[in-house]
Amino acid sequence: MSASRCHSPPPGSPRDRVLMVRGRLDLAGVPKLRERLLHVSHSPGSRLTLDLSGVTSCDALGLGLIVAAARCARYSGGDLCLVAPCPAVAQALKASGLSRMLPVFPGFDGQSGAGTGDGPLPGKSPLRPLSAHPLNRP
């Protein structure tokens, strides 16, 4: 598992950060992602987006790390959302109930896997949730 560089989203959301994640979120991959998450600043009102398009699988340890990252972000007044999970990861999020507790989006423009390159996020259209939950309400 490797997590590539963080980059800033389009103008107008300077406090948002995107962390691209690749590989497996399991016993071998979780410590590496945890280390990356420790270096991401959480300022009030900021949103951390985990781009999961490169994640091939996620076990209970990976889900636990996602929960911890969400708690950390919310404790500091920010939020965490997940983007572009593969079907296996989306199923793990659904089975665990996390997809009801966290914003999960199919892609940056509402299409699975779209906007997952190394550059800035595309600003074509807003994020659209996979499922409705209280955190998605304005």
mmCIF file of all heavy atoms in Angstrom, residues 68-123:
data_model
loop_
_atom_site.group_PDB
_atom_site.id
_atom_site.type_symbol
_atom_site.label_atom_id
_atom_site.label_comp_id
_atom_site.label_asym_id
_atom_site.label_seq_id
_atom_site.Cartn_x
_atom_site.Cartn_y
_atom_site.Cartn_z
ATOM 1 N N ALA A 68 -10.987 6.286 12.629
ATOM 2 C CA ALA A 68 -10.096 7.134 13.426
ATOM 3 C C ALA A 68 -9.801 8.451 12.710
ATOM 4 O O ALA A 68 -9.773 9.518 13.336
ATOM 5 C CB ALA A 68 -8.799 6.389 13.728
ATOM 6 N N ALA A 69 -9.587 8.389 11.403
ATOM 7 C CA ALA A 69 -9.317 9.605 10.628
ATOM 8 C C ALA A 69 -10.532 10.525 10.630
ATOM 9 O O ALA A 69 -10.395 11.750 10.748
ATOM 10 C CB ALA A 69 -8.921 9.246 9.196
ATOM 11 N N ALA A 70 -11.733 9.944 10.532
ATOM 12 C CA ALA A 70 -12.957 10.748 10.562
ATOM 13 C C ALA A 70 -13.118 11.415 11.923
ATOM 14 O O ALA A 70 -13.460 12.599 12.010
ATOM 15 C CB ALA A 70 -14.171 9.883 10.242
ATOM 16 N N ARG A 71 -12.863 10.678 12.990
ATOM 17 C CA ARG A 71 -12.964 11.251 14.345
ATOM 18 C C ARG A 71 -11.966 12.384 14.532
ATOM 19 O O ARG A 71 -12.297 13.422 15.102
ATOM 20 C CB ARG A 71 -12.724 10.172 15.393
ATOM 21 C CG ARG A 71 -13.884 9.250 15.564
ATOM 22 C CD ARG A 71 -13.610 8.265 16.667
ATOM 23 N NE ARG A 71 -14.730 7.350 16.818
ATOM 24 C CZ ARG A 71 -14.661 6.198 17.437
ATOM 25 N NH1 ARG A 71 -13.523 5.814 17.982
ATOM 26 N NH2 ARG A 71 -15.726 5.432 17.538
ATOM 27 N N CYS A 72 -10.757 12.180 14.069
ATOM 28 C CA CYS A 72 -9.720 13.212 14.188
ATOM 29 C C CYS A 72 -10.128 14.470 13.427
ATOM 30 O O CYS A 72 -9.998 15.588 13.938
ATOM 31 C CB CYS A 72 -8.394 12.666 13.675
ATOM 32 S SG CYS A 72 -7.025 13.818 13.832
ATOM 33 N N ALA A 73 -10.611 14.288 12.217
ATOM 34 C CA ALA A 73 -11.030 15.435 11.402
ATOM 35 C C ALA A 73 -12.178 16.179 12.075
ATOM 36 O O ALA A 73 -12.178 17.410 12.155
ATOM 37 C CB ALA A 73 -11.433 14.973 10.000
ATOM 38 N N ARG A 74 -13.152 15.443 12.570
ATOM 39 C CA ARG A 74 -14.318 16.083 13.203
ATOM 40 C C ARG A 74 -13.962 16.732 14.524
ATOM 41 O O ARG A 74 -14.500 17.778 14.864
ATOM 42 C CB ARG A 74 -15.438 15.064 13.374
ATOM 43 C CG ARG A 74 -16.025 14.693 12.024
ATOM 44 C CD ARG A 74 -17.109 13.683 12.144
ATOM 45 N NE ARG A 74 -17.558 13.300 10.812
ATOM 46 C CZ ARG A 74 -18.102 12.152 10.533
ATOM 47 N NH1 ARG A 74 -18.296 11.256 11.483
ATOM 48 N NH2 ARG A 74 -18.481 11.875 9.302
ATOM 49 N N TYR A 75 -13.061 16.125 15.276
ATOM 50 C CA TYR A 75 -12.624 16.696 16.547
ATOM 51 C C TYR A 75 -11.998 18.075 16.332
ATOM 52 O O TYR A 75 -12.149 18.973 17.137
ATOM 53 C CB TYR A 75 -11.627 15.753 17.232
ATOM 54 C CG TYR A 75 -11.122 16.276 18.544
ATOM 55 C CD1 TYR A 75 -11.923 16.222 19.684
ATOM 56 C CD2 TYR A 75 -9.857 16.828 18.651
ATOM 57 C CE1 TYR A 75 -11.470 16.703 20.896
ATOM 58 C CE2 TYR A 75 -9.388 17.321 19.864
ATOM 59 C CZ TYR A 75 -10.200 17.257 20.989
ATOM 60 O OH TYR A 75 -9.746 17.743 22.178
ATOM 61 N N SER A 76 -11.317 18.231 15.213
ATOM 62 C CA SER A 76 -10.677 19.511 14.919
ATOM 63 C C SER A 76 -11.597 20.458 14.151
ATOM 64 O O SER A 76 -11.164 21.495 13.677
ATOM 65 C CB SER A 76 -9.380 19.292 14.135
ATOM 66 O OG SER A 76 -9.660 18.726 12.878
ATOM 67 N N GLY A 77 -12.865 20.089 13.998
ATOM 68 C CA GLY A 77 -13.828 20.961 13.329
ATOM 69 C C GLY A 77 -13.902 20.774 11.833
ATOM 70 O O GLY A 77 -14.533 21.558 11.134
ATOM 71 N N GLY A 78 -13.272 19.732 11.321
ATOM 72 C CA GLY A 78 -13.300 19.457 9.890
ATOM 73 C C GLY A 78 -14.177 18.265 9.580
ATOM 74 O O GLY A 78 -15.066 17.912 10.356
ATOM 75 N N ASP A 79 -13.910 17.626 8.448
ATOM 76 C CA ASP A 79 -14.694 16.464 8.044
ATOM 77 C C ASP A 79 -13.828 15.579 7.157
ATOM 78 O O ASP A 79 -12.773 15.990 6.679
ATOM 79 C CB ASP A 79 -15.949 16.895 7.292
ATOM 80 C CG ASP A 79 -17.037 15.822 7.311
ATOM 81 O OD1 ASP A 79 -16.862 14.778 7.973
ATOM 82 O OD2 ASP A 79 -18.061 16.025 6.651
ATOM 83 N N LEU A 80 -14.282 14.373 6.943
ATOM 84 C CA LEU A 80 -13.610 13.395 6.091
ATOM 85 C C LEU A 80 -14.632 12.847 5.119
ATOM 86 O O LEU A 80 -15.778 12.578 5.499
ATOM 87 C CB LEU A 80 -13.048 12.240 6.939
ATOM 88 C CG LEU A 80 -12.458 11.079 6.135
ATOM 89 C CD1 LEU A 80 -11.012 11.380 5.769
ATOM 90 C CD2 LEU A 80 -12.528 9.790 6.925
ATOM 91 N N CYS A 81 -14.247 12.728 3.850
ATOM 92 C CA CYS A 81 -15.106 12.034 2.897
ATOM 93 C C CYS A 81 -14.258 11.067 2.088
ATOM 94 O O CYS A 81 -13.041 11.208 2.004
ATOM 95 C CB CYS A 81 -15.891 12.998 2.016
ATOM 96 S SG CYS A 81 -14.938 13.915 0.834
ATOM 97 N N LEU A 82 -14.920 10.086 1.531
ATOM 98 C CA LEU A 82 -14.269 9.031 0.761
ATOM 99 C C LEU A 82 -14.747 9.104 -0.671
ATOM 100 O O LEU A 82 -15.935 9.308 -0.923
ATOM 101 C CB LEU A 82 -14.614 7.663 1.360
ATOM 102 C CG LEU A 82 -14.404 7.525 2.878
ATOM 103 C CD1 LEU A 82 -14.934 6.189 3.369
ATOM 104 C CD2 LEU A 82 -12.941 7.698 3.232
ATOM 105 N N VAL A 83 -13.813 8.941 -1.609
ATOM 106 C CA VAL A 83 -14.149 9.068 -3.019
ATOM 107 C C VAL A 83 -13.616 7.871 -3.797
ATOM 108 O O VAL A 83 -12.508 7.399 -3.561
ATOM 109 C CB VAL A 83 -13.559 10.371 -3.615
ATOM 110 C CG1 VAL A 83 -13.791 10.454 -5.112
ATOM 111 C CG2 VAL A 83 -14.134 11.583 -2.923
ATOM 112 N N ALA A 84 -14.421 7.392 -4.724
ATOM 113 C CA ALA A 84 -14.058 6.397 -5.741
ATOM 114 C C ALA A 84 -13.605 5.051 -5.192
ATOM 115 O O ALA A 84 -12.630 4.486 -5.670
ATOM 116 C CB ALA A 84 -13.007 6.979 -6.691
ATOM 117 N N PRO A 85 -14.341 4.471 -4.216
ATOM 118 C CA PRO A 85 -13.947 3.134 -3.771
ATOM 119 C C PRO A 85 -14.280 2.098 -4.842
ATOM 120 O O PRO A 85 -15.294 2.218 -5.535
ATOM 121 C CB PRO A 85 -14.796 2.906 -2.519
ATOM 122 C CG PRO A 85 -16.010 3.747 -2.734
ATOM 123 C CD PRO A 85 -15.522 4.954 -3.507
ATOM 124 N N CYS A 86 -13.416 1.099 -4.994
ATOM 125 C CA CYS A 86 -13.711 0.001 -5.914
ATOM 126 C C CYS A 86 -14.883 -0.788 -5.332
ATOM 127 O O CYS A 86 -15.245 -0.615 -4.165
ATOM 128 C CB CYS A 86 -12.477 -0.880 -6.113
ATOM 129 S SG CYS A 86 -12.070 -1.932 -4.698
ATOM 130 N N PRO A 87 -15.505 -1.668 -6.108
ATOM 131 C CA PRO A 87 -16.657 -2.413 -5.596
ATOM 132 C C PRO A 87 -16.381 -3.179 -4.297
ATOM 133 O O PRO A 87 -17.223 -3.204 -3.405
ATOM 134 C CB PRO A 87 -17.007 -3.358 -6.750
ATOM 135 C CG PRO A 87 -16.570 -2.613 -7.974
ATOM 136 C CD PRO A 87 -15.302 -1.907 -7.553
ATOM 137 N N ALA A 88 -15.208 -3.788 -4.168
ATOM 138 C CA ALA A 88 -14.893 -4.550 -2.953
ATOM 139 C C ALA A 88 -14.818 -3.633 -1.735
ATOM 140 O O ALA A 88 -15.311 -3.969 -0.657
ATOM 141 C CB ALA A 88 -13.579 -5.305 -3.130
ATOM 142 N N VAL A 89 -14.214 -2.466 -1.893
ATOM 143 C CA VAL A 89 -14.104 -1.517 -0.788
ATOM 144 C C VAL A 89 -15.461 -0.903 -0.485
ATOM 145 O O VAL A 89 -15.838 -0.741 0.677
ATOM 146 C CB VAL A 89 -13.039 -0.437 -1.087
ATOM 147 C CG1 VAL A 89 -13.025 0.630 -0.011
ATOM 148 C CG2 VAL A 89 -11.662 -1.080 -1.222
ATOM 149 N N ALA A 90 -16.223 -0.580 -1.511
ATOM 150 C CA ALA A 90 -17.571 -0.047 -1.308
ATOM 151 C C ALA A 90 -18.429 -1.052 -0.542
ATOM 152 O O ALA A 90 -19.201 -0.667 0.349
ATOM 153 C CB ALA A 90 -18.216 0.304 -2.649
ATOM 154 N N GLN A 91 -18.280 -2.334 -0.854
ATOM 155 C CA GLN A 91 -19.024 -3.376 -0.144
ATOM 156 C C GLN A 91 -18.599 -3.444 1.321
ATOM 157 O O GLN A 91 -19.441 -3.594 2.210
ATOM 158 C CB GLN A 91 -18.833 -4.736 -0.816
ATOM 159 C CG GLN A 91 -19.577 -5.863 -0.128
ATOM 160 C CD GLN A 91 -21.076 -5.634 -0.050
ATOM 161 O OE1 GLN A 91 -21.689 -5.087 -0.957
ATOM 162 N NE2 GLN A 91 -21.677 -6.035 1.055
ATOM 163 N N ALA A 92 -17.299 -3.329 1.599
ATOM 164 C CA ALA A 92 -16.814 -3.333 2.987
ATOM 165 C C ALA A 92 -17.366 -2.137 3.754
ATOM 166 O O ALA A 92 -17.775 -2.257 4.910
ATOM 167 C CB ALA A 92 -15.291 -3.331 3.012
ATOM 168 N N LEU A 93 -17.403 -0.969 3.102
ATOM 169 C CA LEU A 93 -17.959 0.236 3.736
ATOM 170 C C LEU A 93 -19.442 0.050 4.030
ATOM 171 O O LEU A 93 -19.935 0.441 5.088
ATOM 172 C CB LEU A 93 -17.732 1.458 2.850
ATOM 173 C CG LEU A 93 -16.293 1.901 2.665
ATOM 174 C CD1 LEU A 93 -16.193 2.933 1.547
ATOM 175 C CD2 LEU A 93 -15.719 2.452 3.959
ATOM 176 N N LYS A 94 -20.146 -0.563 3.100
ATOM 177 C CA LYS A 94 -21.582 -0.792 3.275
ATOM 178 C C LYS A 94 -21.838 -1.828 4.368
ATOM 179 O O LYS A 94 -22.686 -1.623 5.245
ATOM 180 C CB LYS A 94 -22.206 -1.243 1.950
ATOM 181 C CG LYS A 94 -23.696 -1.449 2.028
ATOM 182 C CD LYS A 94 -24.264 -1.846 0.681
ATOM 183 C CE LYS A 94 -25.763 -2.083 0.793
ATOM 184 N NZ LYS A 94 -26.332 -2.526 -0.473
ATOM 185 N N ALA A 95 -21.110 -2.935 4.324
ATOM 186 C CA ALA A 95 -21.304 -4.012 5.303
ATOM 187 C C ALA A 95 -20.999 -3.548 6.725
ATOM 188 O O ALA A 95 -21.647 -3.979 7.680
ATOM 189 C CB ALA A 95 -20.435 -5.217 4.941
ATOM 190 N N SER A 96 -20.036 -2.658 6.858
ATOM 191 C CA SER A 96 -19.648 -2.162 8.183
ATOM 192 C C SER A 96 -20.562 -1.048 8.680
ATOM 193 O O SER A 96 -20.509 -0.680 9.848
ATOM 194 C CB SER A 96 -18.210 -1.647 8.142
ATOM 195 O OG SER A 96 -18.140 -0.472 7.343
ATOM 196 N N GLY A 97 -21.365 -0.483 7.793
ATOM 197 C CA GLY A 97 -22.224 0.641 8.161
ATOM 198 C C GLY A 97 -21.556 1.986 7.994
ATOM 199 O O GLY A 97 -22.185 3.021 8.203
ATOM 200 N N LEU A 98 -20.290 1.998 7.616
ATOM 201 C CA LEU A 98 -19.571 3.277 7.459
ATOM 202 C C LEU A 98 -20.125 4.119 6.323
ATOM 203 O O LEU A 98 -20.060 5.349 6.378
ATOM 204 C CB LEU A 98 -18.078 3.039 7.248
ATOM 205 C CG LEU A 98 -17.312 2.593 8.480
ATOM 206 C CD1 LEU A 98 -15.847 2.369 8.136
ATOM 207 C CD2 LEU A 98 -17.441 3.602 9.599
ATOM 208 N N SER A 99 -20.693 3.480 5.308
ATOM 209 C CA SER A 99 -21.236 4.258 4.187
ATOM 210 C C SER A 99 -22.462 5.068 4.600
ATOM 211 O O SER A 99 -22.853 6.000 3.907
ATOM 212 C CB SER A 99 -21.577 3.343 3.010
ATOM 213 O OG SER A 99 -22.576 2.411 3.379
ATOM 214 N N ARG A 100 -23.052 4.722 5.757
ATOM 215 C CA ARG A 100 -24.164 5.520 6.284
ATOM 216 C C ARG A 100 -23.662 6.633 7.206
ATOM 217 O O ARG A 100 -24.392 7.567 7.494
ATOM 218 C CB ARG A 100 -25.140 4.627 7.045
ATOM 219 C CG ARG A 100 -25.890 3.660 6.154
ATOM 220 C CD ARG A 100 -26.984 2.921 6.912
ATOM 221 N NE ARG A 100 -26.557 2.415 8.203
ATOM 222 C CZ ARG A 100 -26.141 1.172 8.446
ATOM 223 N NH1 ARG A 100 -26.093 0.308 7.456
ATOM 224 N NH2 ARG A 100 -25.788 0.799 9.652
ATOM 225 N N MET A 101 -22.432 6.506 7.681
ATOM 226 C CA MET A 101 -21.895 7.475 8.637
ATOM 227 C C MET A 101 -20.955 8.498 8.005
ATOM 228 O O MET A 101 -20.758 9.570 8.554
ATOM 229 C CB MET A 101 -21.150 6.729 9.738
ATOM 230 C CG MET A 101 -22.037 5.779 10.519
ATOM 231 S SD MET A 101 -21.104 4.686 11.600
ATOM 232 C CE MET A 101 -20.345 5.860 12.693
ATOM 233 N N LEU A 102 -20.372 8.143 6.880
ATOM 234 C CA LEU A 102 -19.404 9.012 6.205
ATOM 235 C C LEU A 102 -19.883 9.322 4.797
ATOM 236 O O LEU A 102 -20.486 8.466 4.150
ATOM 237 C CB LEU A 102 -18.037 8.319 6.099
ATOM 238 C CG LEU A 102 -17.290 8.054 7.386
ATOM 239 C CD1 LEU A 102 -16.076 7.190 7.100
ATOM 240 C CD2 LEU A 102 -16.867 9.353 8.035
ATOM 241 N N PRO A 103 -19.567 10.510 4.302
ATOM 242 C CA PRO A 103 -19.868 10.795 2.893
ATOM 243 C C PRO A 103 -18.987 9.914 2.002
ATOM 244 O O PRO A 103 -17.771 9.908 2.146
ATOM 245 C CB PRO A 103 -19.500 12.271 2.721
ATOM 246 C CG PRO A 103 -19.368 12.821 4.105
ATOM 247 C CD PRO A 103 -19.003 11.668 4.986
ATOM 248 N N VAL A 104 -19.617 9.148 1.120
ATOM 249 C CA VAL A 104 -18.899 8.291 0.168
ATOM 250 C C VAL A 104 -19.397 8.660 -1.219
ATOM 251 O O VAL A 104 -20.593 8.629 -1.488
ATOM 252 C CB VAL A 104 -19.146 6.792 0.440
ATOM 253 C CG1 VAL A 104 -18.380 5.935 -0.566
ATOM 254 C CG2 VAL A 104 -18.758 6.430 1.864
ATOM 255 N N PHE A 105 -18.469 9.024 -2.103
ATOM 256 C CA PHE A 105 -18.812 9.473 -3.443
ATOM 257 C C PHE A 105 -18.216 8.524 -4.476
ATOM 258 O O PHE A 105 -17.115 8.019 -4.293
ATOM 259 C CB PHE A 105 -18.280 10.887 -3.685
ATOM 260 C CG PHE A 105 -18.795 11.880 -2.688
ATOM 261 C CD1 PHE A 105 -18.060 12.209 -1.563
ATOM 262 C CD2 PHE A 105 -20.025 12.480 -2.876
ATOM 263 C CE1 PHE A 105 -18.542 13.116 -0.642
ATOM 264 C CE2 PHE A 105 -20.511 13.391 -1.962
ATOM 265 C CZ PHE A 105 -19.779 13.709 -0.835
ATOM 266 N N PRO A 106 -18.931 8.268 -5.575
ATOM 267 C CA PRO A 106 -18.423 7.351 -6.601
ATOM 268 C C PRO A 106 -17.213 7.900 -7.346
ATOM 269 O O PRO A 106 -16.409 7.145 -7.860
ATOM 270 C CB PRO A 106 -19.606 7.154 -7.538
ATOM 271 C CG PRO A 106 -20.445 8.369 -7.346
ATOM 272 C CD PRO A 106 -20.249 8.794 -5.920
ATOM 273 N N GLY A 107 -17.074 9.204 -7.432
ATOM 274 C CA GLY A 107 -15.956 9.848 -8.118
ATOM 275 C C GLY A 107 -16.037 11.338 -7.915
ATOM 276 O O GLY A 107 -16.996 11.846 -7.340
ATOM 277 N N PHE A 108 -15.044 12.050 -8.367
ATOM 278 C CA PHE A 108 -15.019 13.492 -8.159
ATOM 279 C C PHE A 108 -16.083 14.220 -8.960
ATOM 280 O O PHE A 108 -16.487 15.298 -8.613
ATOM 281 C CB PHE A 108 -13.640 14.064 -8.485
ATOM 282 C CG PHE A 108 -12.627 13.688 -7.457
ATOM 283 C CD1 PHE A 108 -11.651 12.764 -7.743
ATOM 284 C CD2 PHE A 108 -12.662 14.241 -6.188
ATOM 285 C CE1 PHE A 108 -10.718 12.407 -6.787
ATOM 286 C CE2 PHE A 108 -11.750 13.885 -5.232
ATOM 287 C CZ PHE A 108 -10.763 12.964 -5.533
ATOM 288 N N ASP A 109 -16.561 13.603 -10.036
ATOM 289 C CA ASP A 109 -17.627 14.238 -10.813
ATOM 290 C C ASP A 109 -18.887 13.375 -10.833
ATOM 291 O O ASP A 109 -19.735 13.541 -11.688
ATOM 292 C CB ASP A 109 -17.168 14.538 -12.237
ATOM 293 C CG ASP A 109 -16.884 13.279 -13.045
ATOM 294 O OD1 ASP A 109 -16.944 12.175 -12.479
ATOM 295 O OD2 ASP A 109 -16.617 13.411 -14.241
ATOM 296 N N GLY A 110 -18.984 12.456 -9.852
ATOM 297 C CA GLY A 110 -20.163 11.603 -9.774
ATOM 298 C C GLY A 110 -20.029 10.315 -10.556
ATOM 299 O O GLY A 110 -20.913 9.499 -10.549
ATOM 300 N N GLN A 111 -18.907 10.122 -11.264
ATOM 301 C CA GLN A 111 -18.694 8.905 -12.028
ATOM 302 C C GLN A 111 -17.538 8.142 -11.416
ATOM 303 O O GLN A 111 -16.511 8.720 -11.087
ATOM 304 C CB GLN A 111 -18.384 9.229 -13.487
ATOM 305 C CG GLN A 111 -19.518 9.940 -14.177
ATOM 306 C CD GLN A 111 -19.141 10.311 -15.594
ATOM 307 O OE1 GLN A 111 -18.087 9.946 -16.077
ATOM 308 N NE2 GLN A 111 -20.008 11.038 -16.249
ATOM 309 N N SER A 112 -17.708 6.856 -11.255
ATOM 310 C CA SER A 112 -16.698 6.031 -10.616
ATOM 311 C C SER A 112 -15.347 6.197 -11.293
ATOM 312 O O SER A 112 -15.223 6.084 -12.500
ATOM 313 C CB SER A 112 -17.115 4.564 -10.669
ATOM 314 O OG SER A 112 -16.138 3.771 -10.053
ATOM 315 N N GLY A 113 -14.346 6.484 -10.476
ATOM 316 C CA GLY A 113 -12.979 6.571 -10.970
ATOM 317 C C GLY A 113 -12.624 7.864 -11.650
ATOM 318 O O GLY A 113 -11.486 8.067 -12.027
ATOM 319 N N ALA A 114 -13.543 8.766 -11.837
ATOM 320 C CA ALA A 114 -13.233 10.010 -12.534
ATOM 321 C C ALA A 114 -12.472 10.952 -11.627
ATOM 322 O O ALA A 114 -12.705 11.018 -10.444
ATOM 323 C CB ALA A 114 -14.530 10.676 -12.998
ATOM 324 N N GLY A 115 -11.551 11.685 -12.200
ATOM 325 C CA GLY A 115 -10.832 12.693 -11.443
ATOM 326 C C GLY A 115 -9.870 12.127 -10.426
ATOM 327 O O GLY A 115 -9.645 12.715 -9.400
ATOM 328 N N THR A 116 -9.271 10.978 -10.711
ATOM 329 C CA THR A 116 -8.425 10.343 -9.722
ATOM 330 C C THR A 116 -6.946 10.394 -10.088
ATOM 331 O O THR A 116 -6.153 9.649 -9.557
ATOM 332 C CB THR A 116 -8.853 8.884 -9.516
ATOM 333 O OG1 THR A 116 -8.788 8.228 -10.782
ATOM 334 C CG2 THR A 116 -10.247 8.776 -8.942
ATOM 335 N N GLY A 117 -6.560 11.302 -10.953
ATOM 336 C CA GLY A 117 -5.157 11.430 -11.330
ATOM 337 C C GLY A 117 -4.356 12.160 -10.274
ATOM 338 O O GLY A 117 -4.835 12.460 -9.194
ATOM 339 N N ASP A 118 -3.104 12.461 -10.561
ATOM 340 C CA ASP A 118 -2.233 13.104 -9.592
ATOM 341 C C ASP A 118 -2.373 14.609 -9.549
ATOM 342 O O ASP A 118 -1.779 15.255 -8.713
ATOM 343 C CB ASP A 118 -0.770 12.756 -9.892
ATOM 344 C CG ASP A 118 -0.469 11.318 -9.518
ATOM 345 O OD1 ASP A 118 -1.140 10.767 -8.647
ATOM 346 O OD2 ASP A 118 0.463 10.767 -10.111
ATOM 347 N N GLY A 119 -3.139 15.196 -10.439
ATOM 348 C CA GLY A 119 -3.279 16.642 -10.470
ATOM 349 C C GLY A 119 -4.409 17.127 -9.595
ATOM 350 O O GLY A 119 -5.008 16.369 -8.854
ATOM 351 N N PRO A 120 -4.719 18.405 -9.680
ATOM 352 C CA PRO A 120 -5.823 18.957 -8.897
ATOM 353 C C PRO A 120 -7.151 18.331 -9.285
ATOM 354 O O PRO A 120 -7.314 17.826 -10.381
ATOM 355 C CB PRO A 120 -5.803 20.446 -9.258
ATOM 356 C CG PRO A 120 -4.458 20.687 -9.822
ATOM 357 C CD PRO A 120 -4.012 19.397 -10.437
ATOM 358 N N LEU A 121 -8.081 18.406 -8.351
ATOM 359 C CA LEU A 121 -9.412 17.861 -8.604
ATOM 360 C C LEU A 121 -10.106 18.649 -9.695
ATOM 361 O O LEU A 121 -10.002 19.866 -9.743
ATOM 362 C CB LEU A 121 -10.269 17.954 -7.338
ATOM 363 C CG LEU A 121 -9.766 17.227 -6.119
ATOM 364 C CD1 LEU A 121 -10.681 17.516 -4.948
ATOM 365 C CD2 LEU A 121 -9.719 15.752 -6.379
ATOM 366 N N PRO A 122 -10.841 17.985 -10.569
ATOM 367 C CA PRO A 122 -11.588 18.715 -11.583
ATOM 368 C C PRO A 122 -12.739 19.471 -10.929
ATOM 369 O O PRO A 122 -13.330 18.996 -9.984
ATOM 370 C CB PRO A 122 -12.111 17.627 -12.517
ATOM 371 C CG PRO A 122 -11.875 16.334 -11.850
ATOM 372 C CD PRO A 122 -10.936 16.555 -10.712
ATOM 373 N N GLY A 123 -13.072 20.636 -11.436
ATOM 374 C CA GLY A 123 -14.145 21.426 -10.871
ATOM 375 C C GLY A 123 -15.390 21.406 -11.725
ATOM 376 O O GLY A 123 -16.196 22.316 -11.663
#
